[in-house]
Amino acid sequence: MTSSTAVTPGRQESLLGTLAVIAWASKPESDADSPVTPFLMVYSLGDGRDGPEAGADALRSKLEETGLSIGDKVTDLSRETRIPITLLVEAEQAVLNLPFMKVQCPVQPEWEKAAHESGTAYLICALLPWPEAVQGKSVSEEELLAFLGDDDLVAKSAHCLLPVRRVRT
């Protein structure tokens, strides 16, 4: 599993604290012929100035200001072009740009191939902090599934399909 990549916008001063990004690919178990889905997740370590709850509220505000809704609605950013989020995938790197953060995250070749073939990646911006998944530490599949399996994760996240861009030559 790819380890997380962190962005710390002045952690001591910021309500957000450290934001991290993790990438993984998933193939549906029910249909062997279905394509692999590339996922990216933005989450907080919960280490912001005023603690995890204030950090989650600040992240919610940033996501809503960006135009994303929190809950089970999946926003297709190929249709919602007014939302300023972009993803560039090239050379086993995913470069994610949101109005409040920019991060480059290493991705596996399978992830990059799936992103280019489908033309999209599924982005989850979780309001639940995940302090155990720190930068540079590998995250096991079991740890990722346990976090993703939290009953509140869907309700406390923004979800979107993000068009994949490439460097033009």
Side-chain angles (χ1 to χ4, degrees), residues 5-9 16 18-21 41-43 59 62-63 66 84-86 95-104 123 125:
T5 301
V7 175
T8 307
L16 293 172
T18 305
L19 297 178
V21 177
M41 181 169 55
V42 173
Y43 59 93
L59 183 54
K62 294 284 188 188
L63 292 169
T66 300
I85 300 174
T86 62
V95 181
L96 178 64
N97 286 297
L98 289 96
F100 55 92
M101 72 177 278
K102 295 178 194 302
V103 64
Q104 185 170 326
L123 175 65
C125 297

Side-chain angles (χ1 to χ4, degrees), residues 15-73:
L15 287 174
L16 293 172
T18 305
L19 297 178
V21 177
I22 191 166
W24 74 96
S26 177
K27 188 170 185 87
E29 292 178 20
S30 60
D31 186 1
D33 293 332
S34 293
V36 172
T37 302
F39 289 89
L40 279 175
M41 181 169 55
V42 173
Y43 59 93
S44 170
L45 296 183
D47 61 354
R49 179 184 72 215
D50 295 338
E53 287 183 27
D57 289 343
L59 183 54
R60 173 188 289 274
S61 293
K62 294 284 188 188
L63 292 169
E64 289 174 343
E65 286 171 17
T66 300
L68 295 176
S69 62
I70 306 302
D72 61 359
K73 178 186 175 200

